[in-house]
Amino acid sequence: MNQRFRTWWQPRKGLAIAEACIIGLVAALSAVVLKVGSGWLGTWRVHSADLLPAWLALPAIGLSLGFVAGCLVQRLAPEASGSGIPQVKASLANVPITLSWRVAGVKLLSAIVVIGSGMTLGRQGPTVHVGAGLAAGMSRLVPTSPDHRRQMIAAGAGAGLAAAFNAPIAGVLFIVEELLQDLSGLTLGTAIIASFIGGVISRLLGGGSLDLNLELTQSSSQFSIPEIPFFLLLGILAGLLGALFNRGLIFSIKFYRKLHISLPLRVALAGFISGVVVAMLPASFRDNTGLREYVITGEAHISVAAIAFAAQFILTLVAFGSGAPGGLFAPSLILGSCLGHIIGVCELYITGVGSPTTYALAGMGGFFSAVSKVPITAIVIVFEMTTDFNLVLPLMIVSVAAYLVADKVVPGSLYEKLLELNGIILGKEVPIEEGLAKLTAKDVMQERVETLDAEISLEEAMQAFARSHHRGFPVVEDNRLVGIVTQSDLLKIRDRNLANDIFLKEIMTPVPMTVTPIHTLSNVLYLLDRYQVSRLPVVDGRKLIGIITRADIIRAEADHLNCDNGTLKLRPEPSYVVYQTRSPSIGNGKLLVPVANPETAGILLQMAAAIARDRHYEIECVQVMLVSRHSSPSETEVSTAKSRRLLRQAEVLAKKWRISLHTQIRVTHDVAQAILETINEQHIDLILMGWKGSTSTPGRIFGNVVDTVIRQAPCEVVLVKLGTTVHSFNRWLVPMAGGPNSPLAIKLLPALITLGNNPQIRLTQVFNPSELKPDMTISEQAIRQLMRRRKLSSTVIALPVQADSVAEGVINLVKTEGYDVVVLGASREGLLQHAIQGNIPEAIASGVESTVILVRGAINN
C-alpha cells in the first residue's frame, strides 16, 4: 500500500527538470533586481550625504526607509522579516510557515529598501528566501507530492544563493549541507539545474557579487607552508569571534523584544542608529560593497580594517536584531575580510612575506563558516567568486578550523536557534518506512467506540444504523466483545423477511476477527486485506478497548507524511479558543462549568452560582465544539452564534448574583481533553458538570468524557445527574458511609440548599438487618459540622435505614419517601473502581429518578 501511494505521487522527471529551469531563471532575475534596486537606492543615499550634512542625511534616510520597510513587512507579509533562511529551513522540515509569491514579493521590495537605507545587512539571505518563495508558489500550480514540493523549494533557495554569489556549485552544496541534507538523484538534479541557470543568468545580467578585479587578487594571492600557523590562528580567531557574533545576534533579538515596540519602529530605530554611527566614520564606510573590496585588495591600513571590523560587528547586531529583512552572508564576508587583513598585515610585518589579500579572502571563508556552520559551502563560495586555486588550501585550513572552534564554543546551527526563539524546534526526521513500521494498533485505533448491546432487537439495531454514519458496530455483552454486525448482515435478514423482534445476537457475526493493542500496523493491514473487512476491533483479553478502520490507516500515513519534526501526530491536537470574555479576578478560587445542553444548562449554572457565591469563587463557563479529526481545531471555521447564546444565560445569572464570570468557546477533537486543558490553564479549583444518567460505552462507568475528567482532573469534581423534577430542591438525602469523603457532601450542602424553598435535610446511614442497634455517631457529627458552618433555617434530621446493601437502601428510601436530591461523597476510586464492581455511586445515580449529586475531592499529586 505504501509503495502504491508513493508511486502515484511520483512526479515525472521531465516536469521536475522544466520546473527547475524556470525556477533558476526567475531566481536569477530576482537577484539582479535586488542588486540593481538596492545599489541604486544606496547610490542615492551616498549622493545625498555629499549634498547635505552627513549627520542629518544618513540618520534621516535610515529612519524613514527603515520605517517604510517595516510597514511593508508587518502589513503585507510578516513572514518576510529577518534573513529568510530560517523560514526556508523550517518549511523544508514541514513546519507550517508560509512560502508564496506574496512573501517573495514583499521580501524583495523590503530588502531593497533596507539595504539601500545603509543598514549593514546582505542581500544574499533575502535572495535565498525569494527564490524559495517563488518556487513554492510555482509548485502549487502543479499537483505533485509534498516531497516534490520540498525539492522544488530547495532548488529555488539554491538558485537564489547561486545567483547572489555567481556560485552555482555553492548553491547546490548549500542545499545538501544545510537545507535538505538529501543526496537523492532528483534533489541533486533539480538543484544543479536551478543553481546553474541562476548563476549563469545572474552573471550575464550583471548580478555579480563582488565585482573584484580578478587579475589583481590572483596576482596578489600567494601561499607558502610556513604561513600555515598564521592561517590556523586566523581560523581560531574567526571561530571565536564568529561564535561571539552568533550569541550577539540572539541577544540583540531578545533585547528588541523587551522594548515591546512594533516592527516598523524597531527597523526605523535600527536605521537611525546605523545612520548616526556611519555619519561619524570616514566617507569610505558609507558604501558597504566598496569597503569590502577596499579591504580585500589590501589597500586599507590596519587601523581602518580594525575600525571597519568593530563598526560592522556592532551595526550588524543592531540591524539584524530589529527583524529588518536582510541577510548575514555579506556582513560575515566583510567581517572575515577585515579580520583576515589584520592578521595578514601582522604576518607580513613579522615574517616579511605573505599577502594580506590572501588572508582577507581566507578570512571571508572562515568567518562565514563560523557563523553559518557550512564549511564546505564557505570554501566553494569564495573559490567560485575568485577562481583562484592558490586560495583553496588556505580556505580549507581557515574555514575548517573556524567551524570546529565555533561549534565547540556555541554548538548547533544559528538558523535553528533563530527558529527556537519563535517556538519552532526542528528534530531529526524519521524515514516514512521506519516511522510507520513502529506503529502499533494502540497508536492508530479510535478509543471511543460506538457499540450495540447483544440483547437489543433487530428493529433497535436498524434505528441505530439509521442514526449513525457507521456501516458496522461491535456487539457487546457485559462489556465484553461477543460479535460484530454490519449493514450487510441487516440486508440479508431483511431479504429473508425475518421478524423484527429477534435479538441482535441471533444475526451478528460471532467471534469476529480482532487484534490486540501490540499488533503492528503491518499485521493490521494484512488482516484487513486478507479477510476483506473494513474494521478490526482492538481487544485486551475479551474487553473491547478500541477499533481500527481503513480510514484510520490512511490518517496515520497522512499524519506521518505531514508531521512537523519527525514525530507522529496521531493524538488530538490541543483545543483552540475561538471566543472568550474575561472579568476581574477578584475571587478566592475558580469554578468551571462546561455547558452543552440548553435544556439543562440553566439549572447547572444556578448550582454553580450558588457554590461560587458561598465560597467566593469566580465562574469559568466553557462551551466545547467538536470538529472532525481530519481538520485542525485552530484552522477550522465554526459558527459560534448558538454557543454565545448559551453563554449569555451564564452572563445574566452572574450579573444578577454579582459573581465574576469568564466565558470561552473551545474548538477541539476531544471534549475531555478540552476540559482538562481549561482546568490546567485557568487553575480551576472545582468543576461542576452534568451527566445524562447512563452510558452504552463498554468499559466506561459514566461515559468517556466524565470518566476521563474524574480520573485526571486534579481539582474537586461535582457530577450532577438531573432528575425528572429538576426544579424541585426541597427534600435532600445525604447517605453517610463514614469514610473520608462524606464531609465533601456536607461541605457542599449549605450552598446548594439555597436553591430550594424551606429545604429539609435527612442524613442517613444504612445498616445490615442483623445489627440490633445502629450507631448514629457519624450522622450526629455531620449535623454539628453543618451547624458550625452557618445557621441553617432548614430542618436537619438523622435517621438510619436497614437494608442488605447501601445502594438498595438508598434507592428504596428515595422511592418510598420521595426525596428530590441525593448527595453522595466519593473518592476517585469510589466513583470508578467501585462502580465497575456494581457498588454504590453509579448504582444509586442510575437507580433513582431524582437528582443525584456526586462529589469527588481534589487529588493531591
Side-chain angles (χ1 to χ4, degrees):
M1 182 177 180
N2 295 339
Q3 184 62 36
R4 291 199 301 269
F5 181 81
R6 290 194 296 273
T7 302
W8 185 81
W9 278 103
Q10 184 67 35
R12 296 190 300 272
K13 289 185 178 180
L15 174 62
I17 293 172
E19 282 189 82
C21 292
I22 298 174
I23 288 170
L25 175 62
V26 175
L29 293 175
S30 66
V32 173
V33 170
L34 180 54
K35 182 193 178 184
V36 173
S38 59
W40 178 85
L41 200 57
T43 302
W44 170 79
R45 177 180 58 85
V46 174
H47 184 63
S48 299
D50 293 335
L51 296 177
L52 300 172
W55 60 267
L56 176 63
L58 294 180
I61 292 173
L63 177 69
S64 56
L65 292 185
F67 185 79
V68 170
C71 288
L72 279 174
V73 173
Q74 181 170 282
R75 293 176 180 272
L76 301 180
E79 303 87 355
S81 64
S83 164
I85 294 178
Q87 293 93 315
V88 176
K89 188 176 177 70
S91 179
L92 293 174
N94 291 322
V95 176
I97 289 181
T98 303
L99 278 179
S100 63
W101 288 341
R102 174 179 55 84
V103 173
V106 173
K107 186 76 168 191
L108 183 62
L109 290 176
S110 58
I112 289 174
V113 175
V114 163
I115 297 170
S117 71
M119 285 187 239
T120 55
L121 295 174
R123 56 185 170 83
Q124 290 78 16
T127 307
V128 171
H129 197 186
V130 170
L134 294 172
M138 290 179 56
S139 67
R140 290 190 179 93
L141 300 178
V142 183
T144 53
S145 70
D147 282 341
H148 177 74
R149 181 172 180 270
R150 291 173 66 237
Q151 288 164 337
M152 291 301 105
I153 291 174
L161 185 67
F165 283 111
N166 282 339
I169 299 177
V172 176
L173 290 176
F174 187 69
I175 294 173
V176 174
E177 192 174 16
E178 176 63 27
L179 296 181
L180 267 187
Q181 301 176 349
D182 182 6
L183 290 173
S184 66
L186 184 60
T187 299
L188 280 178
T190 53
I192 290 172
I193 292 171
S195 298
F196 173 77
I197 293 177
V200 170
I201 298 298
S202 176
R203 184 178 291 273
L204 290 176
L205 296 178
S209 177
L210 292 179
D211 293 335
L212 296 177
N213 186 334
L214 296 180
E215 294 182 1
L216 178 61
T217 57
Q218 288 175 358
S219 62
S220 300
S221 64
Q222 52 186 312
F223 170 72
S224 59
I225 299 300
E227 293 180 278
I228 290 180
F230 291 94
F231 284 113
L232 284 172
L233 175 63
L234 175 58
I236 294 171
L237 289 176
L240 292 173
L241 291 172
L244 179 63
F245 184 71
N246 283 357
R247 286 190 173 178
L249 293 172
I250 302 298
F251 172 80
S252 178
I253 293 173
K254 292 180 178 179
F255 176 78
Y256 272 103
R257 290 183 178 179
K258 290 180 180 179
L259 298 179
H260 300 294
I261 57 178
S262 65
L263 179 63
L265 293 179
R266 294 202 307 266
V267 181
L269 178 62
F272 177 78
I273 295 173
S274 298
V276 170
V277 174
V278 172
M280 294 187 295
L281 296 174
S284 59
F285 284 74
R286 298 171 190 173
D287 181 3
N288 290 325
T289 303
L291 174 65
R292 177 178 54 199
E293 293 161 8
Y294 177 57
V295 173
I296 291 172
T297 55
E299 299 177 4
H301 191 271
I302 188 171
S303 61
V304 175
I307 294 173
F309 183 89
Q312 288 283 324
F313 194 100
I314 295 172
L315 291 180
T316 303
L317 299 185
V318 171
F320 189 83
S322 69
L328 296 172
F329 285 3
S332 299
L333 295 176
I334 294 177
L335 290 168
S337 65
C338 294
L339 180 63
H341 181 80
I342 294 170
I343 299 298
V345 171
C346 292
E347 188 269 343
L348 181 62
Y349 178 78
I350 294 171
T351 64
V353 296
S355 167
T357 297
T358 303
Y359 283 88
L361 292 169
M364 288 169 57
F367 207 90
F368 182 91
S369 173
V371 172
S372 300
K373 304 291 180 67
V374 283
I376 300 176
T377 303
I379 294 168
V380 174
I381 280 179
V382 178
F383 171 72
E384 285 194 281
M385 289 191 301
T386 60
T387 65
D388 186 357
F389 283 97
N390 292 326
L391 283 173
V392 173
L393 189 54
L395 273 172
M396 292 178 66
I397 294 172
V398 176
S399 297
V400 172
Y403 167 74
L404 293 175
V405 171
D407 197 56
K408 183 69 174 178
V409 176
V410 182
S413 166
L414 170 64
Y415 304 124
E416 293 185 5
K417 286 181 168 60
L418 294 175
L419 289 171
E420 288 176 7
L421 288 177
N422 295 320
I424 300 172
I425 301 177
L426 303 183
K428 184 178 179 182
E429 188 172 347
V430 180
I432 293 174
E433 294 83 357
E434 180 183 344
L436 292 177
K438 293 180 179 179
L439 287 180
T440 63
K442 184 178 180 181
D443 298 321
V444 183
M445 71 181 186
Q446 301 178 43
E447 296 182 4
R448 293 187 295 180
V449 189
E450 293 185 42
T451 62
L452 298 179
D453 193 271
E455 299 295 331
I456 68 172
S457 66
L458 176 59
E459 183 178 0
E460 291 174 316
M462 289 182 174
Q463 291 175 356
F465 274 96
R467 291 191 302 266
S468 173
H469 65 279
H470 296 305
R471 292 182 296 175
F473 289 94
V475 181
V476 296
E477 190 172 34
D478 296 330
N479 291 335
R480 295 183 178 275
L481 180 70
V482 294
I484 196 165
V485 63
T486 65
Q487 288 180 343
S488 301
D489 296 326
L490 297 184
L491 291 175
K492 292 176 184 177
I493 298 301
R494 188 184 63 180
D495 294 339
R496 289 160 56 186
N497 295 322
L498 294 180
N500 286 339
D501 57 354
I502 63 173
F503 293 111
L504 184 60
K505 64 182 179 181
E506 300 177 37
I507 62 171
M508 69 181 185
T509 303
V511 194
M513 180 60 60
T514 62
V515 292
T516 65
I518 61 174
H519 269 81
T520 63
L521 187 58
S522 58
N523 296 139
V524 175
L525 284 169
Y526 171 76
L527 292 173
L528 288 172
D529 187 61
R530 170 67 178 81
Y531 295 99
Q532 290 298 301
V533 293
S534 58
R535 63 194 57 79
L536 281 173
V538 184
V539 295
D540 186 4
R542 290 187 60 192
K543 181 182 178 183
L544 180 67
I545 61 172
I547 194 166
I548 298 176
T549 66
R550 293 182 183 271
D552 297 320
I553 306 296
I554 296 173
R555 174 174 54 83
E557 288 193 334
D559 285 344
H560 185 67
L561 285 170
N562 296 297
C563 63
D564 282 355
N565 51 20
T567 57
L568 296 172
K569 294 170 33 177
L570 299 175
R571 297 305 176 195
E573 296 181 43
S575 60
Y576 184 74
V577 179
V578 295
Y579 170 86
Q580 67 175 351
T581 62
R582 311 308 295 171
S583 297
S585 297
I586 56 176
N588 297 331
K590 281 189 177 181
L591 186 155
L592 176 64
V593 187
V595 293
N597 187 351
E599 296 180 359
T600 59
I603 191 63
L604 288 177
L605 289 170
Q606 289 184 39
M607 289 185 176
I611 298 172
R613 189 168 60 173
D614 180 69
R615 299 190 181 185
H616 304 290
Y617 278 5
E618 303 163 26
I619 295 180
E620 185 84 35
C621 193
V622 62
Q623 217 279 330
V624 180
M625 303 179 69
L626 279 175
V627 295
S628 169
R629 290 182 179 269
H630 301 292
S631 58
S632 171
S634 61
E635 299 174 0
T636 305
E637 293 186 5
V638 294
S639 174
T640 61
K642 292 183 178 179
S643 298
R644 290 202 303 271
R645 283 198 294 269
L646 199 59
L647 294 177
R648 273 196 284 271
Q649 293 185 35
E651 293 172 355
V652 171
L653 188 63
K655 185 176 181 180
K656 176 183 176 182
W657 285 23
R658 297 181 181 179
I659 297 172
S660 185
L661 175 76
H662 317 282
T663 67
Q664 59 176 286
I665 301 174
R666 285 182 178 256
V667 181
T668 185
H669 291 154
D670 188 291
V671 175
Q673 178 194 7
I675 292 174
L676 291 171
E677 287 173 355
T678 306
I679 291 172
N680 292 328
E681 292 171 12
Q682 301 300 329
H683 307 291
I684 300 299
D685 298 283
L686 184 149
I687 176 174
L688 185 145
M689 57 193 306
W691 173 53
K692 63 182 180 181
S694 62
T695 180
S696 59
T697 306
R700 300 294 186 181
I701 306 309
F702 301 101
N704 282 310
V705 175
V706 177
D707 279 16
T708 303
V709 172
I710 290 173
R711 185 177 294 107
Q712 299 183 23
C715 63
E716 190 174 345
V717 178
V718 177
L719 183 62
V720 180
K721 189 216 79 170
L722 293 175
T724 55
T725 56
V726 293
H727 297 295
S728 179
F729 293 93
N730 299 323
R731 293 173 56 78
W732 295 72
L733 178 65
V734 186
M736 306 297 297
N741 300 292
S742 296
L744 295 173
I746 299 300
K747 183 180 178 181
L748 205 62
L749 271 179
L752 292 178
I753 60 175
T754 60
L755 299 174
N757 297 318
N758 299 319
Q760 300 175 8
I761 302 172
R762 172 174 174 173
L763 309 183
T764 188
Q765 292 176 249
V766 179
F767 294 93
N768 193 284
S770 60
E771 297 184 41
L772 298 178
K773 185 179 180 181
D775 184 359
M776 298 296 293
T777 304
I778 297 172
S779 298
E780 292 169 358
Q781 291 174 349
I783 292 176
R784 286 195 293 270
Q785 179 185 347
L786 280 172
M787 296 304 179
R788 278 198 305 268
R789 278 202 79 236
R790 61 171 60 188
K791 294 181 179 179
L792 294 178
S793 59
S794 308
T795 303
V796 182
I797 60 174
L799 294 174
V801 62
Q802 290 187 331
D804 293 328
S805 69
V806 174
E808 179 188 346
V810 173
I811 292 172
N812 290 336
L813 195 61
V814 172
K815 291 181 177 180
T816 55
E817 300 194 16
Y819 286 97
D820 301 320
V821 189
V822 181
V823 185
L824 289 166
S827 65
R828 173 174 55 177
E829 292 74 17
L831 285 172
L832 296 176
Q833 297 177 3
H834 289 188
I836 292 174
Q837 300 166 4
N839 214 322
I840 304 170
E842 189 270 344
I844 295 175
S846 302
V848 300
E849 295 183 357
S850 303
T851 296
V852 178
I853 301 175
L854 305 177
V855 188
R856 192 220 71 186
I859 300 173
N860 296 319
N861 293 321

